[in-house]
Structure formats: structure tokens, C-alpha cells
Amino acid sequence: MPPIIQLSASELLQQIRIGALSVTDVVEAHIAQIERVNPSLNAVVTPLFDQARRAAHEADAQRDHLSELPPLFGLPVTIKDSLDVADAPATCGMLARRDRIAPQDAAVVAALRKAGAIVLGKTNAPEVCWSQETNNLLYGCTNNPWNLAHTVGGSTGGEAAIIAACGSALGMGSDISGSIRMPAAFTGIVGLRPTSATLEETGHYPLVSGRLADLEAVGPMARRVEDVALAFAVLTGRPYTPPDPAVLRGQKVAYWFNGGLTFADPNIRRAVVGAVEALRGAGMTPTARTIPPQVRFAQIGWLSYLDRDARRAIDQAFMQPGVFAEIRNHLRGKPTVAYGSLHFWQAAMMSIVSERVFNGVRWREAINRLVTAWIGEGGVIISPIFPTTAPKHQWQFFAPFTTIPYQQWVNLAGLPGLTVPTGVAPNGLPTAVQVIGAHGREDVILAAGMVIQQALTPIWNAPALASEHGASVAEKDRL
């Protein structure tokens, strides 16, 4: 059997269920891994190890008295810092929230605990989840476990990093602009962005409403598709049924390679081809698509969809006098939020211009009509999440505005999306694709994800950092 920490969530649950591993064994192994890798990663910003140990001992004491174990019994999980965990700091990476302690669990955290999961800690995120680099002035920058010199993306970067480094079996994130899917792709794990507003967001900061809620979703992340499928069933209160590839037969798979103003490199193109061929083998009919302007320039539509209430909510979430005051703070060398978050904060405030020129509601409707025409209710779209593997830190100055359409068209349309790893590129960094489905068809994209996983990554390989000798390897790669 592989080391405990390299078992998937489903494998861990099975070993606990048959009595081969105690919950304490599993929790202690993951705590030890976090303590070993986190100094290199800066992924877990709030360890909750004492609480986790108590919960593990209680679970082991109770298991013989339970007629049926809950579905996530004893599973060690981590939580993005934007989601509340009772009696733990709830900062969302913000200096202005450094002293806030959450009074209760976020809705999705409560659901995981009710199902038996044990929270190990909270993970890093940029201020207000408003950047594609996981960096903030409170906790600093999170590094990619495959190469510490490279980004994990954002905003659910801390979560992706610690799951990829085998410090956590499952985690929760949020996605308003690729924030689950991009970090999952950069770190070689699986991330599910459900259809917008599928899962309750009570206890998430910022708590979105109105048009922001149309763009966002909270969802699970893990190393294998079946683990994310199980978590999604738990979070929606449904009995778990393994993803069934039979639902794909006879359906359409649309695909393309270039989603923004930056073309996808050969490694990413090969990933798309491999995924499409796997789905062809499952009985789907592939069709190459030339993407229309609504998708290629989706960042304009996304910004145009923000109305006055959305801009006001974003502005207030930063808990500062305003974006121009923060620009002055940066010019004076006294910032209160990191540059990456300020970068996107400025863009959101300037959306008043695009809102007056373009109709974001019609843009959203146009993308949804195109998706229906391409795949109907039961097909999928395969496309890149980003045109390359994970870039180096400090990549986002102008780059996001040329690459962000790869992610944002999905959010603008409110569609479900799944990141599926496809292998490792010659540069030693993971490759991945995103699987997009019709509204409410998470069952279809999870089934497609299982097919792609079986064809391209039947065995999940951990980054060198995750092994006992790997820290020195990753540090060497950083130089």
C-alpha cells in the first residue's frame, strides 16, 4: 500500500471503514506532512491540529458504537481561508480582518463535518479572493509544490498546493473567475466548480449576492475525480453514485485550443487532444470549434455583467476608503492589500465603462445559447484552463487580461466546470484540461472526468516535494 498521505480520499475512507487504519493514524500522518512541507509552500496559514487530534480520538472511540459510518468518516480536509471555520481566524488574507474569529462554520464546512470530515486547517488566499496569484500582505505568497519558483494561481491556491503536496485529502474552494479550476490545473489536482449558486455560500467572505452570485460557486478539490464526486454528493445532500460513463455515449464533445488572446502552447494542446480522444473512445462525437468573440473576449462580458451593486459590494469587501485611496497607499509605499488584488480591484471598479458600452446580461445569454447549440443538455466542452503550465511568480501584470478569458467565460455563463489533470509536461509542471457541461449537469462532467482520468492519469503521481526527500529537490528547482 502507498504511504497513507498518498492515498486518495476514497482509498483512505475505505481503509478506515475496514479497520486497516485508525482515524488517528490518518490525521497524524497528514499533520506530519503539513509540518514538513508547509515551510516551503506557505499553504496552510491557520493550523488547527489540536482540534483535529481531539476529533480523531473521538471518532476512533465512537466507531464501534456506530451502526453506519458517515460518508466522510475520519477524512482529513482543509478549508480555504475565505470560508469560516468555527472558532478559527477568518481573515481572507486581509490585514483589516486579522483579528476576526468566526463564530460558526460556513454552510459547506458544516456539511463536511456532519459527514464525518476532520478539519486540519485553513489555507491561503489573496485579499477578498480577488487575484490570480495567491499572495497577500498578511500571510505572504504560496508556492507551487511542483516548483517553488512558480505560482499556484488563485484564488484557491493554498488549498490546491497542500492537496497536491499530500497534506490534505480534500478541500473546499470558491470560483468567481477560475479560482478553483486554475489552481487545480497548476498543481495537478481535480477541482469542481459547480453550476453557480448550487452550494450554499453562507459563511464565505465576501458573501456574494445579485450578479456576483451568478458568477461564483463554491466547490470541492481533491487528487482524484471520484473523490470530488463523493464530496459533491455529500455537499448537495444526495446519495453517492459513482460517475457513470454510460451517460456520455452518443453525446457531443466540443473542443478548442485557444481561449484568449494568448495561444495555447503544444503541451496544453496535446492535453486537449488526449482528453477528446478518450471521450471519443467512450462513445462521444467530437467537433472542433472556432470560438466566437463572446468567448475569446469573455473578460469584457464578465466586467460588463457587474452592475452598480456588484461594484459597491467589491469595494466594501476590501474594507478601505476606496480603490483610489489604496492606489495612493501603494504610491506612498504603505499598501494595505497586495498588488495582485489591487490590480483586479481596479479592473472591477472600471467596469462602469464596459457596462455602459456592452450589455453583460445579453453576453451571458449569448454564451449559454452557444453552449446549448454545441453540446445540448448531455454533452461536454473540452478546453484549456490556461494557455501554458503554471508561470513563475509575479506573472500577472498585463498577462491576466490576455489569458483570463480561458476561465471567465464559464463563470459569466454560470456553467459547471471540472479541472482534470492530464500528465506532466517536459518542464516538470502539470498539464490539465477543463470539462464544461450544461447547467446542472455535474453528473456529466464528472463522468467525462473519470474517462479522461482513466485514460491519461490512471495513477496519480505526487510532486517530489510530497516525498520524504522531495523538499531539497524542490528547493533546488527554485534556484
Side-chain angles (χ1 to χ4, degrees):
M1 185 173 70
I4 291 174
I5 57 170
Q6 292 190 17
L7 295 174
S8 70
S10 298
E11 291 168 337
L12 284 170
L13 291 168
Q14 175 64 13
Q15 293 299 311
I16 292 171
R17 195 169 292 117
I18 66 176
L21 291 173
S22 71
V23 176
T24 299
D25 291 336
V26 172
V27 167
E28 288 293 351
H30 284 82
I31 289 175
Q33 180 71 346
I34 292 172
E35 291 177 331
R36 191 178 68 78
V37 302
N38 202 54
S40 296
L41 296 178
N42 191 35
V44 177
V45 293
T46 304
L48 299 172
F49 298 158
D50 290 343
Q51 299 94 314
R53 288 184 169 112
R54 287 195 296 270
H57 289 306
E58 290 172 5
D60 284 330
Q62 294 171 358
R63 66 167 298 146
D64 292 338
H65 305 288
L66 296 173
S67 58
E68 183 177 353
L69 297 182
L72 301 182
F73 182 77
L75 187 70
V77 303
T78 42
I79 306 296
K80 184 180 182 179
D81 196 30
S82 61
L83 289 158
D84 284 352
V85 173
D87 301 320
T91 71
C92 199
M94 298 176 62
L95 292 171
R97 286 169 58 91
R98 66 179 4 161
D99 297 324
R100 183 180 183 275
I101 302 296
Q104 61 190 25
D105 285 338
V108 290
V109 176
L112 292 178
R113 288 211 220 239
K114 183 178 179 182
I118 294 176
V119 177
L120 299 179
K122 301 189 70 181
T123 56
N124 206 18
E127 293 100 340
V128 193
C129 304
W130 214 249
S131 176
Q132 291 195 318
E133 173 86 82
T134 297
N135 181 40
N136 58 62
L137 298 186
L138 182 59
Y139 298 122
C141 186
T142 298
N143 299 317
N144 194 316
W146 291 87
N147 187 321
L148 301 179
H150 287 247
T151 182
V152 289
S155 60
T156 318
E159 202 59 46
I162 202 62
I163 293 171
C166 301
S168 174
L170 182 82
M172 286 300 302
S174 57
D175 189 318
I176 198 168
S177 180
S179 300
I180 288 174
R181 289 164 291 137
M182 175 195 278
F186 284 176
T187 57
I189 68 167
V190 179
L192 173 65
R193 186 215 119 85
T195 304
S196 289
T198 296
L199 300 178
E200 185 179 347
E201 296 210 14
T202 302
H204 181 274
Y205 189 86
L207 181 60
V208 298
S209 60
R211 291 193 179 181
L212 288 175
D214 294 338
L215 302 172
E216 181 159 277
V218 293
M221 305 169 77
R223 291 190 291 274
R224 306 299 279 172
V225 173
E226 59 269 29
D227 300 340
V228 166
L230 171 60
F232 184 64
V234 167
L235 292 164
T236 53
R238 302 169 186 165
Y240 174 60
T241 302
D244 183 7
V247 303
L248 306 174
R249 187 165 296 278
Q251 300 291 341
K252 299 174 182 178
V253 51
Y255 67 96
W256 57 75
F257 299 108
N258 302 310
L261 300 179
T262 302
F263 289 168
D265 74 16
N267 295 313
I268 303 302
R269 294 174 68 91
R270 281 191 290 270
V272 171
V273 170
V276 169
E277 288 306 309
L279 295 174
R280 187 197 301 272
M284 301 192 81
T285 302
T287 305
R289 293 289 178 183
T290 300
I291 62 170
Q294 293 94 330
V295 173
R296 188 174 297 281
F297 301 101
Q299 77 273 35
I300 299 174
W302 191 97
L303 288 170
S304 302
Y305 194 72
L306 301 180
D307 58 9
R308 179 186 301 176
D309 290 342
R311 285 189 294 275
R312 182 184 300 115
I314 294 166
D315 211 29
Q316 292 175 348
F318 277 96
M319 301 175 66
Q320 300 300 326
V323 68
F324 295 109
E326 183 58 24
I327 292 171
R328 287 194 294 272
N329 289 340
H330 275 252
L331 293 174
R332 294 167 180 165
K334 297 181 179 180
T336 64
V337 302
Y339 171 74
S341 296
L342 175 62
H343 195 47
F344 281 90
W345 186 8
Q346 292 176 78
M349 295 304 102
M350 294 303 293
S351 69
I352 189 172
V353 177
S354 58
E355 185 195 12
R356 289 174 178 176
V357 177
F358 301 98
N359 188 316
V361 173
R362 290 180 182 174
W363 202 307
R364 174 184 172 95
E365 292 170 349
I367 292 179
N368 276 302
R369 284 195 300 270
L370 286 168
V371 170
T372 300
W374 289 336
I375 65 171
E377 292 297 318
V380 299
I381 294 170
I382 302 295
S383 70
I385 305 163
F386 195 80
T388 67
T389 55
K392 289 189 174 183
H393 289 299
Q394 300 178 342
W395 65 281
Q396 57 164 25
F397 188 74
F398 295 113
F401 296 102
T402 63
T403 61
I404 206 166
Y406 279 89
Q407 307 103 44
Q408 276 191 333
W409 69 273
V410 180
N411 298 86
L412 178 56
L415 298 167
L418 179 73
T419 295
V420 184
T422 57
V424 179
N427 65 3
L429 295 168
T431 59
V433 296
Q434 61 180 342
V435 185
I436 310 302
H439 285 267
R441 296 310 305 267
E442 287 82 4
D443 61 322
V444 172
I445 63 173
L446 288 165
M450 285 293 289
V451 169
I452 295 166
Q453 175 178 278
Q454 185 58 39
L456 302 183
T457 56
I459 298 173
W460 189 83
N461 294 310
L465 183 74
S467 64
E468 291 184 3
H469 68 281
S472 60
V473 174
E475 289 288 356
K476 182 179 178 181
D477 286 346
R478 189 176 191 176
L479 301 176

